[in-house]
Amino acid sequence: MQTRQTIYQQLLTVSEQNLSEHRKQITRISVIRFVWFCLLAFLVWISRHLPIYIPVLESIGGIIGFLILIVWYDKHIRQRDYSETRIRLLQKELNLIDYNFEGIDDAREELNGDHPFINDLDVFGGHSLFQYLNRSIAGLGRETLIQWLKDHLTEKAEIVQRQKAVAELSVKQELRLHFFNHRNDTAFFRLKTGRNCRSFLLRKITFREKKYYGDLSD
């Protein structure tokens, strides 16, 4: 069975390869756009003494081709940005596995000498349990985890239910990485699902969405 570190390292390698390929494509498209523009300008110039409809048709065809190149370029720009964010997230995961907490939120403001166990168990602060567990991408998630750690459950059924929920998400690396990549773009989820982020997370991905996102639920 592969360890988490091995899985993340493999994903990181693939993401770095994808990033390299997108950067190459962006460079190629930039060169093609420049050549296309120069060729269009040259054709229009040499056609200036021909009937007017010829340079007009050349211009229309050239503009359509140029717009296609812009769309193609924009697609690879977005994929490049996606890959760069994905790489940063994977590197963060690998750092946490190695207990490297540099730059990680530690919720130090929650330290409380009157609490029965927070200080003794390093729940908050540097090199704390909160730093190791926290994967929240919004204030609500952060506050929820803080509340879970401060006011622990006492009923067995509730504890088991929460453990099952966490265990289910813990093995879905692709789903979590994909969601983290779009943490600042709630419009993305509304556009693709017709729902807000909360409802997106609280239901199973449909077959149609799975085709778009890839097999993220595995």
Side-chain angles (χ1 to χ4, degrees):
M1 183 177 178
Q2 290 182 313
T3 63
R4 282 194 306 141
Q5 190 168 19
T6 302
I7 293 173
Y8 284 129
Q9 189 60 58
Q10 290 174 347
L11 292 173
L12 179 61
T13 300
V14 173
S15 296
E16 289 173 340
Q17 292 172 348
N18 290 338
L19 176 60
S20 176
E21 183 59 32
H22 292 313
R23 286 174 172 170
K24 290 178 182 177
Q25 288 290 355
I26 289 169
T27 301
R28 293 190 192 107
I29 297 170
S30 296
V31 172
I32 292 173
R33 284 198 307 175
F34 177 75
V35 172
W36 185 272
F37 177 80
C38 293
L39 180 62
L40 174 61
F42 176 73
L43 288 175
V44 172
W45 183 79
I46 64 175
S47 303
R48 66 189 185 282
H49 299 305
L50 298 177
I52 188 64
Y53 70 88
I54 294 179
V56 168
L57 290 176
E58 289 175 346
S59 299
I60 293 174
I63 291 172
I64 292 174
F66 196 76
L67 290 175
I68 292 173
L69 288 172
I70 290 176
V71 172
W72 189 21
Y73 179 85
D74 182 65
K75 175 185 176 182
H76 282 286
I77 286 291
R78 286 185 281 109
Q79 290 175 335
R80 180 204 64 187
D81 294 343
Y82 181 95
S83 295
E84 287 177 344
T85 303
R86 183 182 174 92
I87 287 170
R88 287 195 297 271
L89 291 168
L90 288 166
Q91 289 173 335
K92 176 183 176 181
E93 291 292 339
L94 289 169
N95 287 340
L96 288 173
I97 291 174
D98 291 333
Y99 296 99
N100 179 359
F101 298 104
E102 183 178 356
I104 305 298
D105 178 23
D106 60 12
R108 187 177 299 274
E109 72 280 2
E110 297 298 330
L111 291 172
N112 183 356
D114 296 329
H115 196 279
F117 60 80
I118 279 181
N119 292 348
D120 294 336
L121 298 181
D122 293 327
V123 177
F124 302 112
H127 293 83
S128 62
L129 180 62
F130 176 83
Q131 282 188 305
Y132 193 71
L133 295 178
N134 184 29
R135 299 295 187 280
S136 62
I137 57 176
L140 179 61
R142 180 180 186 273
E143 292 304 316
T144 298
L145 179 58
I146 289 173
Q147 198 63 32
W148 281 11
L149 294 175
K150 289 170 63 176
D151 302 318
H152 59 284
L153 297 175
T154 57
E155 296 295 329
K156 179 180 177 180
E158 294 179 346
I159 295 173
V160 171
Q161 184 180 20
R162 182 175 294 177
Q163 288 175 338
K164 287 181 178 179
V166 173
E168 181 181 354
L169 286 175
S170 67
V171 296
K172 297 181 179 180
Q173 290 89 357
E174 282 293 340
L175 176 60
R176 290 186 289 110
L177 287 168
H178 193 78
F179 181 70
F180 291 162
N181 254 302
H182 297 282
R183 63 193 183 280
N184 294 321
D185 189 8
T186 55
F188 171 88
F189 291 99
R190 294 191 183 99
L191 175 66
K192 297 301 180 184
T193 69
R195 300 175 175 86
N196 59 31
C197 293
R198 177 177 172 81
S199 60
F200 175 84
L201 287 176
L202 294 180
R203 84 208 186 315
K204 292 184 177 179
I205 298 177
T206 65
F207 175 79
R208 186 175 182 180
E209 290 167 351
K210 185 178 291 187
K211 183 178 180 181
Y212 175 82
Y213 292 117
D215 201 6
L216 297 176
S217 60
D218 293 340

